[in-house]
Amino acid sequence: MSLKLDSVSTLLNEPDAAPVHSVTLFVALVSACIVIGHLLQKTRWMNQSVTALAFGLCTATVIILTTNGKISDILLFDEDLFFICLLPPIIFNAGFQVKKKQFFQNFIIINLFGVVGTLISFGIISIGSAQLFMKFGLTFWDQGDFLALGAILSATDTVCTLQVLNQEDTPLLYSLVFGEGVVNDATSIVLFNAIQKFSVHITPDTVMQFTGSFLYLFSLSTLLGIAVGLMSAYIIRKLYFGRHSTDREVALMILMAYLSYVMADLFQLSGILTVFFCGIVMSHYTWHNITESSRVTTKHTFSTLSFISETFIFLYVGMDALDMEKWKIAKGSPGTSVAVSSTLLGLVLVGRAASVFSVSFLSNLANDSPIDKIGFKQQVTIWWAGLMRGAVSVALAYNKFTSSGHTQRPKNAIMITSTITIVLFSNVVFGLLTKPLVRLMLQPREQSSEISSPKSSSALLPLLANGQELASELDSVGGGISIRRPSSLTMLITKPTSTVHYYWRKFDNAVMRPIFGGGGEESPPNDILH
């Protein structure tokens, strides 16, 4: 979002003081939003993100009424500022705080939801909008616009639901919603960037090139994040900055975390994936190599920056929604705007349902144990969590349909206003219903009995003794009953996640930790906040 300082200067008649007044206004708004969010925290309907969005709308309304709409564009959404400054702290903190054991135990299903589910939603929105708009006689847009629109509206925002879910009571559900949210954003942005590079005419060669580009961006972005995280761990472990200055090691962690993101942008990779996996690696290795005081400092610094960025984003998405320029351009065809917004919202609902319930069906089909299956109420909660659209959708829409935040083309203005309408409607209406819906779907009895229950003994047999080698294939279980332990190949086929985790722990303890440092099985950062 770029500040329109000329307009503000005209209003205040103090050109030199305009930046100071603007910054003061924005800091005051964020501070007030945090206070109001705290006061409304215990209400049945409100949460921090809905509060920030509503506060932004109210602030924009006051500005328009007090100035007769003359400076309604005091803020314009700038996707560069969003992607460069506001998004990195949120994604990095997500990776830094994630419960890695829970996340990687559910890694396959998370990627099914985040990648396959996003592709299903992308296909339904792209194909559905192209077919329905043609039936409505809306032929303003080409194939590339519909593909980009599918990527734009496939990016979910799960913040509302995550603020309601309890990570301790619903570990599996929280892990799925949280993990899918990060992978979904990365997938949507990678899709969007890949679409921009290729011709709008779909041929078999284009599909192959698109798939190759998609996999290339995904894999290299992940490897880059891991590499920068390991580099920070090695440097801090070898040089041990803490013996002279804890400020240096804290500064180095923050800078190298951001370095991973800007390097990904420099190499035209996915910054979201890069900084997310950099956060995971840093919490697993680097965090354990710094002093105790620096651990507390970094933990709360990353959390605070993430919280402020989230509040800032929702606040200014609300303010930007009432920028009158794009609404005036789209005003010439109000019927078209309503038809487009309604159609896209319906496709979002259908696409989300198709992706969640189909992926859940496949997951349940592959799991024999009842405790590993995703229940219907949990599926509904996951579906609902992904109905909200947020700043990523707005930023991608501005990137595709505007030039420096402005457009004079009615067809582009309709796409921008339709995207903003969906973001506002989904966050305000669906967001307000999130608390009661989650409480209805997940009763206290269900929350306490979720997948946190121990796995069956047969699944844990090859993983006993915390990864130590077992001397014999035959072990005594219970009252002297001996059973044959499954072979490693059998376990890899039947329980791939648990088996990979077992051998990863062995490799991590034997090779990685002696070089890069590290702590126990589960990273302590999650414990400090409590």
Side-chain angles (χ1 to χ4, degrees):
M1 299 163 200
S2 55
L3 308 185
K4 308 303 290 181
L5 298 182
D6 292 338
S7 298
V8 178
S9 301
T10 303
L11 173 69
L12 299 173
N13 294 319
E14 297 178 12
D16 296 335
V20 177
H21 284 285
S22 301
V23 172
T24 303
L25 173 64
F26 305 145
V27 172
L29 289 175
V30 174
S31 301
C33 188
I34 292 173
V35 172
I36 294 173
H38 174 74
L39 295 175
L40 297 176
Q41 185 176 4
K42 296 189 181 299
T43 61
R44 177 180 175 83
W45 306 97
M46 299 297 288
N47 54 55
Q48 184 66 42
S49 57
V50 175
T51 302
L53 194 63
F55 196 69
L57 286 169
C58 293
T59 303
T61 302
V62 171
I63 292 176
I64 292 173
L65 292 177
T66 55
T67 62
N68 295 322
K70 294 180 180 178
I71 59 164
S72 64
D73 61 342
I74 185 172
L75 286 177
L76 283 177
F77 194 93
D78 185 349
E79 70 272 10
D80 291 333
L81 180 60
F82 168 74
F83 283 117
I84 293 174
C85 298
L86 298 177
L87 191 59
I90 298 173
I91 303 300
F92 176 81
N93 186 63
F96 195 73
Q97 287 195 47
V98 66
K99 288 193 173 182
K100 295 182 290 297
K101 185 175 181 179
Q102 187 74 26
F103 178 80
F104 286 106
Q105 279 181 344
N106 302 308
F107 189 72
I108 295 176
I109 183 63
I110 285 174
N111 278 277
L112 283 175
F113 277 119
V115 179
V116 178
T118 302
L119 291 175
I120 293 173
S121 179
F122 162 75
I124 290 176
I125 295 173
S126 298
I127 298 173
S129 59
Q131 296 298 319
L132 292 175
F133 288 177
M134 189 177 298
K135 289 184 178 180
F136 295 157
L138 305 177
T139 57
F140 314 127
W141 302 281
D142 56 34
Q143 197 173 60
D145 292 330
F146 292 122
L147 291 174
L149 191 62
I152 290 168
L153 294 180
S154 294
T156 64
D157 193 319
T158 58
V159 172
C160 281
T161 308
L162 289 175
Q163 290 173 349
V164 177
L165 288 177
N166 188 311
Q167 189 170 5
E168 302 301 326
D169 292 338
T170 56
L172 172 71
L173 188 58
Y174 189 95
S175 177
L176 293 181
V177 173
F178 169 83
E180 188 221 353
V182 175
V183 178
N184 166 271
D185 283 345
T187 303
S188 299
I189 293 173
V190 170
L191 269 175
F192 181 84
N193 290 333
I195 289 168
Q196 301 295 83
K197 294 179 181 179
F198 293 103
S199 169
V200 297
H201 300 291
I202 299 178
T203 63
D205 290 339
T206 303
V207 173
M208 291 298 295
Q209 292 177 3
F210 176 82
T211 304
S213 175
F214 183 83
L215 296 175
Y216 167 82
L217 289 173
F218 242 86
S219 57
L220 281 192
S221 300
T222 301
L223 291 175
L224 178 60
I226 294 173
V228 175
L230 291 176
M231 184 188 302
S232 70
Y234 184 80
I235 292 174
I236 290 179
R237 179 179 173 83
K238 288 298 181 183
L239 299 183
Y240 189 48
F241 292 93
R243 61 187 171 186
H244 298 301
S245 171
T246 57
D247 295 339
R248 291 178 182 174
E249 58 185 4
V250 173
L252 187 63
M253 279 193 70
I254 295 174
L255 291 174
M256 292 202 72
Y258 190 67
L259 177 65
S260 69
Y261 188 87
V262 294
M263 284 182 66
D265 189 57
L266 178 65
F267 296 135
Q268 297 184 338
L269 301 175
S270 170
I272 289 182
L273 275 177
T274 299
V275 78
F276 177 72
F277 279 96
C278 181
I280 291 178
V281 172
M282 278 193 171
S283 71
H284 190 64
Y285 296 112
T286 312
W287 190 82
H288 296 279
N289 298 333
I290 60 179
T291 59
E292 189 65 32
S293 61
S294 295
R295 292 180 188 180
V296 176
T297 301
T298 52
K299 183 59 188 172
H300 288 287
T301 297
F302 293 140
S303 297
T304 303
L305 290 175
S306 174
F307 176 74
I308 292 175
S309 296
E310 285 182 355
T311 306
F312 188 96
I313 287 171
F314 279 102
L315 177 69
Y316 285 105
V317 165
M319 292 188 68
D320 176 75
L322 295 185
D323 169 44
M324 300 307 295
E325 179 191 47
K326 48 186 172 288
W327 293 100
K328 288 178 180 178
I329 297 174
K331 186 179 179 181
S333 51
T336 301
S337 298
V338 173
V340 169
S341 300
S342 303
T343 302
L344 292 177
L345 182 60
L347 290 172
V348 166
L349 294 171
V350 173
R352 181 64 184 171
S355 63
V356 170
F357 294 114
S358 61
V359 170
S360 298
F361 174 77
L362 293 175
S363 174
N364 291 339
L365 202 63
N367 285 316
D368 298 328
S369 174
I371 61 174
D372 287 333
K373 294 183 182 294
I374 305 173
F376 178 73
K377 289 185 177 180
Q378 293 174 326
Q379 294 178 35
V380 172
T381 304
I382 296 172
W383 170 73
W384 187 268
L387 290 181
M388 274 72 80
R389 296 298 182 265
V392 172
S393 295
V394 176
L396 294 179
Y398 267 85
N399 182 281
K400 173 65 178 177
F401 298 109
T402 70
S403 176
S404 300
H406 297 276
T407 183
Q408 297 299 323
R409 305 177 68 180
K411 70 170 189 175
N412 289 345
I414 290 173
M415 283 300 190
I416 294 293
T417 54
S418 297
T419 302
I420 291 176
T421 300
I422 292 172
V423 169
L424 291 178
F425 183 88
S426 62
N427 277 277
V428 174
V429 177
F430 298 155
L432 287 174
L433 296 174
T434 296
K435 271 188 180 181
L437 179 75
V438 169
R439 289 171 181 172
L440 177 65
M441 290 290 105
L442 305 175
Q443 300 296 333
R445 180 179 59 82
E446 289 186 54
Q447 292 185 4
S448 61
S449 63
E450 214 210 288
I451 277 192
S452 55
S453 57
K455 300 282 185 182
S456 61
S457 58
S458 62
L460 290 176
L461 280 176
L463 309 177
L464 294 176
N466 194 25
Q468 296 179 2
E469 293 290 345
L470 299 172
S472 172
E473 288 188 359
L474 295 177
D475 286 310
S476 179
V477 180
I481 302 173
S482 295
I483 63 172
R484 180 170 296 277
R485 184 174 307 282
S487 66
S488 299
L489 180 60
T490 302
M491 286 307 302
L492 182 61
I493 296 173
T494 58
K495 295 286 182 181
T497 304
S498 300
T499 308
V500 169
H501 181 260
Y502 164 65
Y503 285 107
W504 159 250
R505 295 305 305 172
K506 292 181 64 177
F507 176 77
D508 190 33
N509 291 329
V511 178
M512 301 296 287
R513 292 176 190 247
I515 300 175
F516 301 105
E521 178 80 11
E522 184 68 33
S523 179
N526 295 291
D527 302 330
I528 287 186
L529 285 182
H530 302 91

